[in-house]
Amino acid sequence: MKNYLVKLILALILFIQAFNLYAVQRFPKPEFETKYSQPTMQTPCPRSVYMEYFDVAVLVASLSLITWLILKKRSRQGVFWTTIFSLLYFGFYRKGCICAVGSLQNVTMALFNPDYYIPITAIAFFIIPLVFTMFYGRTFCAGICPLGAIQDIFVLRPMPLKQWVQTILGLIPYIYLGLAVLYAATGTDFIVCRYDPFVGIFRHNGTFMMFAIGGVLLLIGVFVARPYCRFLCPYGVLLNFVSRVSKNHLSIAPGKCIECRLCENSCPFGAINKPTPTRNVEKRNVMVKRFAIYFVITPLLILLGGWTGSRFHENLAKVHPKVRLANELLLANNNKISSLSMEISTFKSMGKPLDKLYAEANIIIDKFYIGGWILGGFLGLVFGLTLVNLSVFQYRTDYTTNKGTCFSCARCVDFCPVKK
Amino acid sequence: MAEKKQYNRRDFINNSLRAGIAVSLAGITVALTTRALSGKSVWQLNPAKCVQCGRCATSCILETSAVKCVHVYDMCGYCDLCGGYLRPDTKELNTAAENQLCPTSAISRKYIEEPFFEYQIIEELCIGCGKCVKGCGAFGNGSLQLQINHKLCVNCNQCAIARVCPSEAFSLVSASDAYLYQGKKM
Amino acid sequence: MKQKLVIALSLILLIGVIFLIYNDLFNGNPADSTNATEYNLEKLKQIDSSLICYNEVITIDLTMESVNALTIDSNSNIYVAGDNEIQIFDKTLQKTHTIKLDSSANCLAVFDNTLYLGVGNYVEVYTSKGVKLSRWKSFNSKGYITSIAVNKTNVYAADAENKAILRYNLNGVLLNVIGKKDKDKSIDGFIIPSMYFDLAISAENELWVANPGKHELINFTEKGDFRTSWGIASMQTTGFAGCCNPIHFCMLSNGSFVTFEKGLDRIKLHDQTGKLECIVASFSDANAQALDNCSIGARVHDLATDLQGNIYALDAKDKKIRVFSRK
C-alpha cells in the first residue's frame, strides 16, 4: 500500500515536471566564449510596512492632541497649529494617502471581496477617527483630516447659508457615500480616491480635472466654508451619525450659556443651534400627527428609492470598464460609432469571444441591479429620516453646537465671554 | 421634572446607539484584521496580456511611471540588430543615436563578444512606454517586458493605469506574486 | 445683496463641480486612444502591389489549438503537425485521417510514405497511415529539433539547442554533425537567438540551412563542408529584417527560395542566387494593425511547396493553411 502511494507521488511529480518542460518556452542560450556572466534580475520589494505603522501612530498621537486641545484646553490656536501640522504631514508629506475618507472603500471592498488583503493601516484609519468621534465628537475633522485642513486654511470670508440650502446640499454626501460603497463593493473603482479634490495639490502632480476640482473647491471655500466636508465628504456621513451620539462634545460655553448671542455668527459652517423662540411653537398634536405621517411614508420612500435605483442599474454599471467595453462594442457592431477606440481594437486583437464578454458584463450588471435597489433604498431612507428630523421639535434655551455637523474647530469658543 | 425624564430617555437612546456603533466597529475590526495580517495585496502587470499601448507611461500618478521595462536575460538572444534597441525604419543598420528606438535612451548596449551584445535598462530613464517591448516581441524573443517596480509603486487603491489598461493586464494579487515574467518562471 | 450674489455664485460653482464629477464618472472617456510612443511597423509592411507575384487561392481551416509544422508529399497529401497529432489532407483538401502522437511534433518530413517527426530531442518514424516504426536515439539530452528534411539517403535534423545539423541515414544511424561551432576548423557556428532554425533539401539534393542570427542561408555538402551562402540584413525587401531571420524557408523545384520573416510577417521569393524575385505575401491587414499581444512568436509556423509550385503557409495566428499560387 505504502509502496503504491510512493509510486503514485513519484508519478505525479514526474508528470508535473514533464508538464513544466513543455509549458516553459525555450530559448537556446548563446555559447559565450568569454567569461560572461548574466546579470541577475532585480525584483525590488515594496516599501516596508513600518512606515505605515508610523502613520497610524502619528494619527493616534495627533488625534489625542487635538482632542485634548479642543475639549480640555479649548484652544483655537492649538487647533490651528495642529491643522498646519496635519496638512504638512498627512497632506504634503504623505501625499494625501492614506486617508480616512478613502479607507471606507477599502473596508467595503474587504467585506465584499474575500481575495482582497486590506492593508492594516486602512482599517486603522477607518476605525480610529470613528472611535474618537464616538467619545469626543468630530475632532478628526477639526484639523487632522488633510482634506479638511487644507480647506480650513481657506476659510477667509465665510458667509452664512440658509438652513434649507444646507439641508438640501447636505443630502449629497449620502449619495456620494452610497455610490462609493456600491463601486467598492462591486470592485469597480475607488471613486472617492479618483475624485479626491486635493490629492493633486498634495502630490504636486495630477490631471487637469483634479486641479480644476481642487482649485474651484478652495475658491468656493473662501465664502462657503469647507464645501467638500459639508456637501461632499462621504466619510463625514459616518462621522456625523456617530458624533450625534458622542459621549462628550465641544460646548460653546464652558459653563452656563448666558445667551449673549456673541457666538451666533461665529460658526463658518452653520453648526450652531440657536435657542428656540417660544412663540413659534406649534401645537403638540399637530407635530405628532406630522411626525406619524412622515414615519409612515418613510418605508414607502425606501421602496420608491429602491425601485428608482434599480431602474438606473445599467447606467450605474456603465462605470465598470468591462460593461463600458461591452456597450462600446455593441454600439460599434451597430455602426453607431465610427472611430474605434484603443479598447475596442485591443479587444478584437485578443481573440476573446464577444459572447463571453457580454456574459461577463451581464453578471456585473446583475450585481448592479441588486446594488441599485440597495442604493436607492438607502437614499429613500435618508430622505425619509431627513423629513422626520425636520418635524422633530427640540426645545432649546441655550446656544449649542449641532453635534452632527460641528467639526469641533473651536472657533466659537473664542467668542464666548463665559470663562468657567 | 418632565424635562429631566425626557433628558434621561435621550441619554439612554444615545448610550444604546453608541454601544451599537462600538460593537459594529469592533466587529469590522476583528473580521478584517485577521484578513489584513495574512497578506498584502499589490498590483501586478501580466506581460502575457500587455499590448504596449503606451498608457503605462502616461497614466501612473507618479511623475515618472512606476512601470518599468525589465530585461529577462534568460530569454534574450543577445542579438546585434536588436529589435528592442533599434528603430525598425532606420536607413542604415547601425547604432547611431538617431537609430535608437527608446525615446529616452534608457537602453544601454554593451559588447560582449562577436556577435553578442548585452542590453541593459537604465531604470532611472525608463518611462515604461513599452516601445522596446513591442519591438523585441515583434522581431526577437520578447525578453523585454513591462513590470511594476514595487519600490516605486505606491500601491494605490485603484491603480490609475489599471483603470485605463485596454487589455486587463493589471490585477490585484498577493504580494508574493508581485512580479510575473513571461517565458521563464522566476 | 453682494453677499447673496457671492453665495449664489459659489453654490453654482459647487453644483458645477458636482456635475463635472458626475459627467466624468458616467460619461467620461477613460483615456485617449493615441499612443505617443507607438511602435509601428505598418509602413514597412506596406508593399508595392506590383511586387506581389502570388495570389492567395485557398485557405484550409484547421481544428487545432496549436499548429507546429506542415509538409507535402509527392502525391500532394498535406501533413499538419500540432496538438499531439498529425492531420492529413488529400489533394482535394479533405481531411483523410489523423495520427495520434504521444507528444507534440515540432517538425515533420515525409518521404516514400514514411513520416519523420522531430519531437523534442529525438526523431520518430511513422508510416503515413500512422503505424509507429521507430524512435531514434537522441543526440544528447538538451537537444531540440526544429526542422527536419529527408531524401533517399539522408535525414537531416536541425537541432536549435545544439546549434548544429544532425545527419542520419534512413535507419537512424547518426552519420555526422554539420555546422557545429569549431574554432580549429574556423567554423563560426550558427547564431540562433530563438527556437527558429530551419533547413531544406533542394531538388538537386543539396542541403540548405538558415542561419537566422547572420541573416543568411548556407549551403553545405553532405560531409558538412561549407559550399556557399547568401543573404543580407535589411529592413527593405531585398534583405532579411530584424535581429534574426529568415525563420522558415522552403525550396521550389527550380532551386529558388521561399522565405518567411518574423516581425514583418512577409513571405518572399528569392531566385537561385538569392536575389529577390518578388513578394509572395505580406500579412498587413487591419487585424495586424490593431495592437497585437500575440506578436511574440511568428505568425507563420511553416512553409511548404507542392510539385506544381504552389506555396503553403501555416498561419499559426488564424489556424489556417494559406495556399498561394503564382499570378
Side-chain angles (χ1 to χ4, degrees), chain B residues 33-145:
Chain B
T33 306
T34 43
R35 181 83 200 137
L37 289 174
S38 61
K40 185 174 158 72
S41 286
V42 295
W43 289 95
Q44 179 206 59
L45 199 173
N46 183 353
K49 289 185 174 176
C50 173
V51 292
Q52 299 92 39
C53 65
R55 284 180 179 171
C56 286
T58 53
S59 300
C60 184
I61 60 128
L62 298 174
E63 230 155 305
T64 42
S65 179
V67 171
K68 302 283 177 200
C69 178
V70 169
H71 196 177
V72 185
Y73 291 99
D74 280 326
M75 293 170 68
C76 182
Y78 293 83
C79 301
D80 180 8
L81 301 175
C82 172
Y85 182 74
L86 295 169
R87 279 175 46 192
D89 49 354
T90 48
K91 285 263 178 315
E92 285 169 46
L93 288 167
N94 62 48
T95 56
E98 71 269 18
N99 288 353
Q100 285 187 24
L101 181 66
C102 179
T104 56
S105 302
I107 306 179
S108 76
R109 168 184 160 110
K110 196 176 88 188
Y111 173 77
I112 303 171
E113 63 182 63
E114 189 58 33
F116 301 124
F117 293 82
E118 181 193 283
Y119 297 90
Q120 252 178 356
I121 309 292
I122 307 164
E123 210 175 84
E124 295 76 43
L125 296 179
C126 177
I127 56 167
C129 68
K131 203 172 183 179
C132 60
V133 177
K134 193 143 202 177
C136 178
F139 288 105
N141 294 352
S143 63
L144 296 172
Q145 296 171 13

Side-chain angles (χ1 to χ4, degrees), chain A residues 200-238:
Chain A
I201 297 168
F202 293 147
R203 286 183 195 139
H204 310 296
N205 180 28
T207 57
F208 171 75
M209 167 97 179
M210 275 180 180
F211 284 119
I213 297 175
V216 170
L217 280 177
L218 288 181
L219 180 70
I220 297 169
V222 173
F223 308 107
V224 178
R226 289 207 188 189
Y228 185 81
C229 304
R230 287 157 79 194
F231 308 128
L232 280 167
C233 180
Y235 190 58
V237 171
L238 306 179

Side-chain angles (χ1 to χ4, degrees), chain A residues 54-67:
Chain A
F54 182 69
D55 290 339
V56 176
V58 173
L59 174 74
V60 172
S62 56
L63 251 177
S64 307
L65 175 71
I66 204 165
T67 306

